[in-house]
Amino acid sequence: MSKIPLQFRHNGRDVAIFVDGGTNLLVALRELIGDLTPKFGCGQGGCGTCSVLIDGELHLSCLTLAETVAGRSVETLDGMKQGPNLHPLQRAFADHFAAQCGYCTPGMLMAAKALLDRNPAPSRADVVEAISGNICRCTGYEPIINAILAAAGGRASA
Amino acid sequence: MAVTVKTFASVGEAAGALSSDRSARYLGGGTLVMRALNEGDVSISTIVRAQDQALTRIDASGPRITLGAGVTFARVLAERDLAFLHTPAQSIGGPAVRNMGTVGGNLFAPNPYGDFTVALLALDATVAVQGGFGTRDIALEEFLQSRERQSGALVLSVSCTRPASAEAFRYRKIARIKPKGGSVITLAAHLPISGGRIAGARIALGSMAPTQIRARAAERALEGRSLDTATIAAAASAAVEGTSPSDNALGSAWYRREIVGVHLRRLLSGQE
Amino acid sequence: MTRHRGRGMASINYPIGMNLGGDPSQALVHSNPSGKFTVALSSIDLGQGMKSVTRQICAETLGVPVEDVYVDTADSDTGPHCMGSFASRGTHRVGNAVMAAAREARGVMMEAAAEELEVNAADLETDGRGNIHVKGAPHRSISTKDVAIAAQFKQGKTISGRGIFLVPLSDVDPETGEMSPATCYAHACLVAEVEVDDETGEVAMVRMDSAYELGRALNPRLVEQQLVGGAWMGVSHALYETPEPYYPDPAHGPRDFVEYLMPGPGDVCPHDIAVLERPAPDGPFGAKGPGEMCANPVLPAVANAIFNAVGVRIDELPITPEKVLRAIKAQGGARPQARR
Amino acid sequence: MLELRKDIFADERDDNLKEIGKGTQRQDMLGHITGTSSYFNDHKLQGMLHLKVLRSTHAHAKLRRIDTTDAERSAGVRRIIRGADVPRNLNTLLSLINFGKDDEPSLAVDKVRYKGEPILAIVADSEREAFEAIAKVRVDYEPLPTVFDVEDALKLGAPVVNETYPKNAFIYHDVYDHQRLRFGDADAALATADHVLEQRYQMSPIEHAPTETNGAIAAPDTNGRYVVYTSTQALFFSVDTCAKILDVPSNTFHFIGGTVGGGFGGKVDTLTEPLAILGAMLTGRPVRYVFGREEEMQYGPPRGAERIYIKDGVMRDGRIVARKIRAYFDSGAYTRLSSYAAVKCAAHLPGPYTIPNVYGDVYCVFTNRTPATAMRGFGVTAMDFAIECQMDKLANLVGMDPMEFRILNAYRDGDMKAHRREAKNTALIECVQVAAEKAKWPIRDEFKRASSRKDGGGSRAVIPATPTDSRGRPAAPAQQRTTYDRAPVTATREPPREPPPSTPPPPPPRPAAPSHGATRFSSVFGTRRR
């Protein structure tokens, strides 16, 4: 069987890999690029742990056929830090203790980023809607909602 | 054996590839086909894609609007001329699913999915299907009844009526989980008013039968009447007629029968 | 009117740890030559904060800043034996083991410091900021770093410690059930307010108020994480969750997160929590363990609130809209009880 | 919002601490928010193979024939693992602490006992190829009658789920098919109570639903060892369980747990490690075995369902004088941890209240469903639901405020608990008082003044006369004396068809050398301590 060549931008850097037919973007990122920040949670589109931004839009990498991102820009949590500095969302998640096991955190942060990139001053309802595709089993969501609201308000503190 | 991906420039070629290979599935937004692959569905060994511009076209100019099968829910939400479809589009998935899931794919989504299709059914939708020998339009209701046999066909677009006013079209998805959850039942009502009377009422229900269905008895109770309390009550009590809901993880058949009238009454009378 | 509000409460206690095989855990603590400490555990952090809470216990016991301690977990080659992360045993059992190990390491550290300062170790104390000084004479001081260097390169001492915590197994009397199942108990009381739709049976959470007693809140932020998330899980257990919706009929089991129901971010209600601290005599700094019990009072409090709202008793979990609706219909309609 | 009530029990605490009591940032937070925390699956190993299991489509069936001819020829298949390939294909988790009999195979051999039970495993170059090969295995099932209801399972003539326990109930102390609690004379007290209320409660199974599914990666390491990255919640439980099942010394393994993506009790059962390691042993390559979400939800162990009957006697003034409880834990097809849940549950009776007469029978019952395991609140959550719903009903029955009713009956320091230990360090009353205050729920002054530290003990400290059961009892050996020192190498490779003979008296506690690599967690088991 032949592998399919695939080039795209990964967190601002051009990457080129070869994928098998049917490979999803999550597998391509984790196993071929080595970016382990998106996580496998269900493979069904139900948990959001594999969330990434494709051309700035929130997508589920497990349901994305890898070759459909050819020539496009893929952002993951691995690209969220600005150099050595944490993104305001990351700081707010820390300040609000918005992570316990940490497994949903990469997806939550990407969903939050997708929201704030478009809507820098969201309401609580907007935040709730923005993370509605992401499952968290530990926190009860409240600290996550508060962290995103705080990051938007520029006051990344408790 | 790995999966083969076949990408075509035109829908015609894609349709040909689909109809000639029983193990081929058309890849829309990925929420159905990629999930099946992830879960080990080995009956799929070919993925067919088409990059035809026609699939992502939106024509919202006339009294009937047309959505390319590849139009995502996020695009529906971004289109001001499609405001009447915003509530149903918003009820699908979370933001990521709305960025991926398509109008065409929703036609194939089994219970407890397929909510957008409920809205389309109430709006007298037709489905344009590309077969081996060209395109044909099928009424959505007919399409749904033969859905199992449509997997070799390629949906090009869906057309539906634009309601005359915001009041004339109502939609509600009853879910246990907020703001995003699977449908317990889904309701859509198109109530065109002519001279103060309802003319051409369409009530569509999701999760009340193996596929989305029309509630014809409720439609009859509304037809030719004004939307007053008595009419609404009559429609609500007729809502369950002709339905055949099942038990599933989200609710039982009994429960669905019990609440469909309550929710139809609330929908028609504008209650929360 | 179709929606009714009601309040209900429940109070509970919860045993800390388990009575199986003595429920032991071990810990090793050692310093590098810079006076920075490592805690080696095989215990697992699955989000509850094991690494963080044992780090604070170790720092407090050693008398060094928390930044000078790092906890390494979950390695069977480097971490000594631990029964595992369950039964609300982590803070209590592992915490005690870490405390014992840190105490032993502190003993060596103080001896080494005493040798450097030419005083009796019993006359020394730590300032918690990385220094050891003579009691009452802060200027006669040495940093833990200098102590560690001296211990390693001059005195030939290992600043390290071993700790184990074991509650000897209590046998169970087959006839009476006499046993010592646990050495300490956490407590809680929770009030739930709900709104019940009497036409659909849907229950919405309005708010929760609670008091949890857990010995000592070693880290209040971690405690808050457990209690907020745990109460959410309690709501989830009460109203939503089941892998067998028609139990004992096994049909229609959920296969994904759409079919397996858990409250979403839009279902969250305000929750006001008070934490009480009655130290357990055998807990590390009196701590018990908040992890497991936090969901437990929510389930009955919600059920009791539903009764208060519409007068029906649902004795089967989860309390689905269907069960509520069937009960209301059987009763001939909602019967709101006296408002609380 | 969280408020620390430092004013309560202040005299029992020394709050002069430096690090304890601070809201210090989590040690793992930076890793979590940057996505660098390492989970078991965050290890990319050269040449890694993928393992998938074939699961039973029947809840109870004999396996007549398993045909793997086509699967063996399927592309990318490296190895098919059958029950006969598992060195010791029978285990029970708590055998490591001498509790219960081995009753569960890693791969079913002659019979499946629940839908989803693993029958064989396929190791292939890719997940897709493993799935394709699994689809080519032909299994000939002979369906057997099933039982799904705990009380039906205990009836005479019910289908035998698990031949190790032919009456479908775990055996306690080698004597009883339930764990019992006896304190005072509940029947006599019920006869004199002003009101008697008997109710039935049912808790559904609950899935842990961690966002990370169960899984493990096993890889050959240097020196003949295997490194195992795992999602386990109990590292040495998993190490020693694998050493036992694979019949090798425990130091064959280097288990690395890292961070776990949520557990809640669902990652205690060592479900994936033994097969992943065996796959690595048989292929010489790294092998990954990760549950899919549907597998996790349906075939990963849940918190077991419980059915509870409570019969209470209460006086008009609100004092509860008797509580009689019968509870059934639905263990599913195998024991896993439900056996201990029943013991923990019995010790929890009658809840945090001082009731002079308590009677409890707690059963661990086998049915044809996914085996249950521990979950947050293990053995207690459902009982608390039942007891606290019952308390609300009793308060209603005697016309008392439920808060005041709790305070009236709450256990206090010095009281005798039903498991015959003195209550100490209690704080239920204070929790009720503070919750009432927070919720602005009015309670009367005398209840506001009550204290866990006052008015306990005395007559409440007495162990009441407790009638023995009428039926004569055989001399019960101390609990769980069935020895875990497994008979040397006459390893049972499949579940016994007949119940094993009754266990001989315990051998000396410390044999010269263990016959296998697993550590006995409890060589002191059986030491009686009061």
Side-chain angles (χ1 to χ4, degrees):
Chain A
M1 80 197 73
S2 58
K3 302 253 184 189
I4 302 144
L6 171 62
Q7 292 191 53
F8 59 99
R9 270 185 99 67
H10 171 250
N11 294 328
R13 209 168 50 92
D14 288 328
V15 291
I17 52 175
F18 289 91
V19 295
D20 288 326
T23 301
N24 68 43
L25 180 61
L26 178 64
V27 170
L29 287 169
R30 289 179 56 85
E31 296 179 17
L32 302 173
I33 306 265
D35 178 353
L36 298 169
T37 59
K39 304 294 179 195
F40 169 84
C42 69
Q44 301 166 321
C47 74
T49 59
C50 69
S51 299
V52 300
L53 303 187
I54 300 177
D55 290 340
E57 279 185 355
L58 192 69
H59 282 246
L60 298 166
S61 62
C62 79
L63 297 185
T64 302
L65 182 67
E67 57 197 87
T68 62
V69 302
R72 301 173 76 184
S73 163
V74 176
E75 276 177 77
T76 71
L77 178 58
D78 196 37
M80 192 182 261
K81 274 202 302 191
Q82 293 139 353
N85 301 320
L86 295 175
H87 187 279
L89 273 167
Q90 292 172 308
R91 283 205 307 276
F93 268 58
D95 290 344
H96 285 78
F97 280 64
Q100 289 185 33
C101 81
Y103 202 76
C104 77
T105 311
M108 284 287 180
L109 281 165
M110 296 319 287
K113 184 168 191 294
L115 169 72
L116 297 194
D117 284 354
R118 279 185 166 66
N119 178 0
S123 65
R124 183 182 165 103
D126 294 334
V127 172
V128 163
E129 180 59 49
I131 61 167
S132 63
N134 296 66
I135 298 281
C136 172
R137 185 60 159 158
C138 300
T139 64
Y141 297 106
E142 188 67 26
I144 295 173
I145 296 168
N146 292 336
I148 298 170
L149 284 170
R155 2 169 220 100
S157 61
Chain B
M1 221 172 65
V3 175
T4 306
V5 180
K6 295 179 176 169
T7 305
F8 300 96
S10 79
V11 288
E13 293 167 279
L18 264 186
S19 59
S20 64
D21 180 354
R22 278 182 48 208
S23 76
R25 293 286 186 287
Y26 184 77
L27 178 71
T31 57
L32 297 174
V33 173
M34 291 304 288
R35 172 178 173 163
L37 286 178
N38 290 345
E39 295 193 311
D41 181 347
V42 295
S43 74
I44 305 173
S45 55
T46 305
I47 290 176
V48 173
R49 298 170 63 215
Q51 292 178 318
D52 200 316
Q53 297 286 320
L55 288 172
T56 52
R57 204 169 290 146
I58 295 177
D59 179 358
S61 52
R64 275 185 80 78
I65 61 111
T66 300
L67 304 173
V71 170
T72 63
F73 300 111
R75 277 200 62 211
V76 171
L77 286 166
E79 203 71 44
R80 228 183 317 154
D81 287 343
L82 296 177
F84 66 101
L85 288 174
H86 285 185
T87 308
Q90 185 70 27
S91 79
I92 309 294
V97 166
R98 291 195 292 276
N99 284 332
M100 302 174 72
T102 62
V103 170
N106 198 263
L107 301 175
F108 294 92
N111 284 338
Y113 306 98
D115 301 303
F116 195 78
T117 302
V118 178
L120 293 173
L121 186 57
L123 293 168
D124 275 333
T126 55
V127 183
V129 175
Q130 174 88 45
F133 305 98
T135 330
R136 66 208 153 95
D137 283 341
I138 310 174
L140 176 55
E141 199 171 9
E142 187 190 329
F143 176 89
L144 291 171
Q145 276 153 18
S146 60
R147 187 165 67 184
E148 295 311 307
R149 287 175 276 120
Q150 302 283 356
S151 59
L154 176 57
V155 172
L156 299 177
S157 65
V158 186
S159 303
C160 71
T161 301
R162 172 196 296 283
S165 70
E167 273 294 282
F169 179 67
R170 298 153 196 232
Y171 169 91
R172 192 169 287 181
K173 173 174 168 178
I174 309 303
R176 300 276 325 273
I177 307 305
K178 306 205 170 35
K180 175 216 159 175
S183 159
V184 179
I185 58 170
T186 303
L187 312 94
H190 184 210
L191 307 174
I193 305 283
S194 173
R197 307 266 164 197
I198 299 164
R202 291 286 181 277
I203 307 290
L205 302 173
S207 293
M208 288 302 293
T211 67
Q212 301 86 338
I213 53 164
R214 274 173 57 189
R216 286 203 154 73
E219 290 174 358
R220 282 194 298 272
L222 293 164
E223 194 63 29
R225 299 173 199 275
S226 64
L227 195 61
D228 55 28
T229 312
T231 305
I232 290 173
S237 61
V240 74
E241 242 179 78
T243 65
S244 53
S246 313
D247 296 343
N248 69 10
L250 300 171
S252 72
W254 177 87
Y255 183 67
R256 293 190 161 93
R257 282 195 201 96
E258 286 293 321
I259 60 163
V260 66
V262 173
H263 287 295
L264 184 60
R265 189 195 76 224
R266 291 181 183 182
L267 180 69
L268 297 183
S269 54
Q271 287 173 344
E272 272 302 301
Chain C
M1 179 152 126
T2 60
R3 290 188 178 92
H4 312 268
R5 286 203 174 184
R7 292 211 292 178
M9 57 81 61
S11 58
I12 58 122
N13 68 345
Y14 194 77
I16 302 305
M18 55 177 201
N19 179 30
L20 270 180
D23 202 16
S25 277
Q26 291 186 37
L28 299 174
V29 171
H30 59 94
S31 161
N32 72 10
S34 309
K36 306 293 184 195
F37 289 83
T38 298
V39 180
L41 300 174
S42 69
S43 316
I44 307 286
D45 200 326
L46 31 94
Q48 83 279 40
M50 169 79 74
K51 291 171 191 166
S52 310
V53 78
T54 51
R55 187 184 187 204
Q56 279 172 270
I57 288 171
C58 183
E60 182 76 47
T61 308
L62 286 166
V64 304
V66 77
E67 298 75 32
D68 288 359
V69 178
Y70 184 84
V71 180
D72 185 47
T73 57
D75 189 313
S76 67
D77 274 10
T78 59
H81 178 266
C82 167
M83 290 294 272
S85 293
F86 42 73
S88 258
R89 61 185 300 287
T91 295
H92 190 269
R93 303 295 202 265
V94 184
N96 267 320
V98 169
M99 211 168 156
R103 243 188 246 122
E104 188 171 299
R106 178 186 164 96
V108 183
M109 178 175 78
M110 299 305 260
E111 287 295 338
E115 201 170 321
E116 292 305 297
L117 293 171
E118 297 181 337
V119 293
N120 213 321
D123 295 332
L124 294 175
E125 64 184 8
T126 46
D127 69 353
R129 295 193 297 272
N131 303 299
I132 298 165
H133 60 77
V134 177
K135 285 176 191 165
H139 60 284
R140 293 190 63 195
S141 167
I142 183 169
S143 70
T144 49
K145 181 181 178 187
D146 288 340
V147 174
I149 290 170
Q152 172 74 355
F153 295 105
K154 217 168 92 187
Q155 303 177 13
K157 283 197 175 81
T158 60
I159 299 182
S160 63
R162 306 149 298 164
I164 182 165
F165 187 75
L166 174 78
V167 181
L169 179 87
S170 161
D171 220 0
V172 181
D173 186 285
E175 296 306 316
T176 62
E178 176 174 0
M179 66 178 118
S180 296
T183 58
C184 60
Y185 293 80
H187 301 88
C189 178
L190 185 137
V191 179
E193 183 169 5
V194 302
E195 187 172 80
V196 184
D197 185 325
D198 70 9
E199 289 185 306
T200 65
E202 289 166 309
V203 177
M205 294 300 298
V206 177
R207 65 172 288 118
M208 292 187 279
D209 289 282
S210 65
Y212 287 91
E213 186 281 316
L214 31 87
R216 188 188 290 274
L218 298 178
N219 180 326
R221 301 300 300 271
L222 293 184
V223 166
E224 185 174 20
Q225 286 193 314
Q226 287 298 313
L227 300 184
V228 170
W232 170 88
M233 188 177 274
V235 171
S236 191
H237 288 1
L239 298 175
Y240 298 93
E241 292 185 44
T242 173
E244 296 187 50
Y246 301 90
Y247 180 89
D249 178 346
H252 306 298
R255 298 156 297 183
D256 61 25
F257 281 118
V258 169
E259 295 180 335
Y260 191 76
L261 301 172
M262 299 187 280
D267 296 303
V268 171
C269 73
H271 181 191
D272 219 350
I273 302 168
V275 165
L276 281 61
E277 301 172 302
R278 186 175 192 193
D282 71 343
F285 302 99
K288 297 171 180 175
E292 298 219 14
M293 58 127 172
C294 41
N296 292 353
V298 182
L299 287 68
V302 167
N304 296 338
I306 291 168
F307 172 74
N308 185 238
V310 291
V312 300
R313 294 284 186 189
I314 310 298
D315 295 333
E316 297 199 11
L317 292 169
I319 304 174
T320 57
E322 166 160 359
K323 289 174 190 166
V324 175
L325 188 62
R326 279 185 190 273
I328 289 174
K329 283 183 181 285
Q331 177 179 266
R335 283 191 210 148
Q337 306 294 301
R339 281 286 284 161
R340 292 204 168 98
Chain D
M1 202 163 37
L2 183 134
E3 173 198 18
L4 288 172
R5 290 294 301 267
K6 291 280 183 190
D7 54 317
I8 303 170
F9 300 121
D11 57 335
E12 294 190 27
R13 289 192 316 269
D14 173 8
D15 289 344
N16 183 24
L17 298 165
K18 294 195 166 66
E19 298 295 346
I20 294 299
K22 277 194 194 166
T24 307
Q25 183 53 273
R26 297 174 64 105
Q27 184 182 295
D28 50 11
M29 185 58 86
L30 188 62
H32 288 356
I33 57 175
T34 54
T36 51
S37 293
S38 185
Y39 300 83
F40 85 88
N41 203 9
D42 294 338
H43 298 276
K44 197 183 140 197
L45 301 173
Q46 186 58 38
M48 187 163 71
L49 306 176
H50 302 265
L51 185 149
K52 293 281 168 196
V53 299
L54 171 71
R55 295 184 179 278
S56 165
T57 54
H58 290 259
H60 199 191
K62 278 190 181 147
L63 297 173
R64 279 212 205 100
R65 188 161 175 274
I66 302 167
D67 180 359
T68 57
T69 320
D70 291 347
E72 281 156 27
R73 286 196 291 260
S74 192
V77 170
R78 296 295 181 119
R79 176 77 198 209
I80 295 179
I81 305 175
R82 301 279 298 266
D85 299 317
V86 182
R88 288 175 181 269
N89 194 23
L90 203 64
N91 180 48
T92 193
L93 283 172
L94 291 179
S95 64
L96 293 177
I97 38 185
N98 287 359
F99 193 42
K101 304 171 200 168
D102 288 340
D103 69 343
E104 180 170 5
S106 294
L107 294 169
V109 175
D110 58 344
K111 180 178 152 175
V112 286
R113 296 171 178 83
Y114 67 96
K115 187 181 165 201
E117 181 164 1
I119 295 172
L120 56 77
I122 293 186
V123 183
D125 288 340
S126 67
E127 290 198 6
R128 168 82 183 183
E129 285 160 322
F131 283 132
E132 284 173 343
I134 282 193
K136 291 173 185 163
V137 178
R138 300 280 165 265
V139 181
D140 186 6
Y141 297 95
E142 179 186 328
L144 296 168
T146 53
V147 61
F148 290 104
D149 183 278
V150 284
E151 289 179 89
D152 288 349
L154 293 180
K155 286 178 185 153
L156 214 60
V160 176
V161 174
N162 182 337
E163 290 71 8
T164 307
Y165 297 99
K167 292 186 172 166
N168 290 339
F170 186 82
I171 302 299
Y172 288 91
H173 316 285
D174 292 342
V175 183
Y176 295 119
D177 63 356
H178 58 279
Q179 176 64 52
R180 52 175 59 190
L181 185 83
R182 301 286 184 270
F183 184 75
D185 190 341
D187 285 327
L190 284 168
T192 59
D194 290 335
H195 304 278
V196 172
L197 181 69
E198 183 168 16
Q199 298 279 289
R200 173 189 188 271
Y201 300 90
Q202 176 74 55
M203 182 176 214
S204 153
I206 291 178
E207 152 64 16
H208 308 81
T211 43
E212 172 202 65
T213 59
N214 268 279
I217 300 172
D221 201 357
T222 56
N223 205 20
R225 298 178 84 207
Y226 292 85
V227 62
V228 182
Y229 300 99
T230 158
S231 66
T232 184
Q233 279 180 246
L235 203 74
F236 273 98
F237 243 106
S238 294
V239 168
D240 288 299
T241 296
C242 290
K244 177 182 170 188
I245 289 172
L246 301 171
D247 203 16
V248 292
S250 63
N251 67 355
T252 308
F253 306 132
H254 180 190
F255 270 47
I256 300 173
T259 299
V260 175
F264 313 105
K267 292 173 178 169
V268 181
D269 287 6
T270 316
L271 295 171
T272 53
E273 296 91 335
L275 289 177
I277 297 170
L278 186 55
M281 286 173 161
L282 295 173
T283 61
R285 299 273 295 274
V287 171
R288 179 170 73 185
Y289 175 20
V290 188
F291 276 10
R293 181 52 62 182
E294 185 175 348
E295 280 182 302
E296 182 78 29
M297 271 188 188
Q298 286 297 313
Y299 313 127
R303 179 207 294 283
E306 292 170 47
R307 182 171 302 161
I308 296 166
Y309 294 89
I310 305 185
K311 188 175 185 181
D312 284 342
V314 63
M315 306 309 283
R316 267 185 285 271
D317 64 5
R319 284 176 300 118
I320 306 168
V321 293
R323 174 160 285 171
K324 205 169 171 180
I325 290 184
R326 199 165 82 248
Y328 303 90
F329 279 74
D330 188 339
S331 182
Y334 298 105
T335 306
R336 302 274 176 98
L337 302 170
S338 298
S339 51
Y340 176 65
V343 177
K344 192 175 172 189
C345 181
H348 188 64
L349 303 180
Y353 305 105
T354 293
I355 299 176
N357 302 284
V358 184
Y359 182 107
D361 283 340
V362 187
Y363 296 80
C364 165
V365 184
F366 299 101
T367 59
N368 290 113
R369 56 168 44 82
T370 304
T373 190
M375 189 174 183
R376 194 180 204 174
F378 187 40
V380 171
T381 303
M383 186 54 79
D384 277 349
F385 171 73
I387 288 174
E388 290 301 303
C389 288
Q390 183 87 356
M391 291 296 284
D392 205 60
K393 294 175 190 176
L394 293 175
N396 212 42
L397 195 61
V398 298
M400 268 187 87
D401 175 89
M403 293 267 188
E404 296 179 354
F405 183 70
R406 297 313 196 287
I407 292 173
L408 176 72
N409 287 290
Y411 74 157
R412 302 171 187 227
D413 289 2
D415 288 359
M416 183 52 60
K417 296 168 76 178
H419 57 83
R420 297 167 190 247
R421 293 292 179 275
E422 186 190 328
K424 296 170 186 162
N425 188 239
T426 62
L428 191 78
I429 289 173
E430 288 72 14
C431 283
V432 175
Q433 290 164 334
V434 171
E437 186 186 319
K438 270 203 125 41
K440 298 185 176 62
W441 182 311
I443 55 174
R444 285 175 287 167
D445 280 348
E446 58 180 295
F447 292 98
K448 283 184 189 162
R449 283 194 303 268
S451 164
S452 292
R453 301 194 283 190
K454 284 194 309 201
D455 305 325
S459 63
R460 296 159 64 107
V462 174
I463 295 179
T466 305
T468 49
D469 284 12
S470 48
R471 62 172 159 151
R473 68 175 177 96
Q479 187 194 1
Q480 309 142 13
R481 280 199 188 271
T482 49
T483 170
Y484 166 65
D485 301 319
R486 282 176 275 113
V489 192
T490 50
T492 320
R493 284 185 182 263
E494 56 186 72
R497 283 150 204 278
E498 297 297 322
S502 62
T503 333
R510 286 180 183 277
S515 60
H516 54 83
T519 312
R520 290 183 316 282
F521 280 177
S522 172
S523 57
V524 295
F525 211 95
T527 305
R528 217 167 180 80
R529 188 180 66 88
R530 288 285 162 87

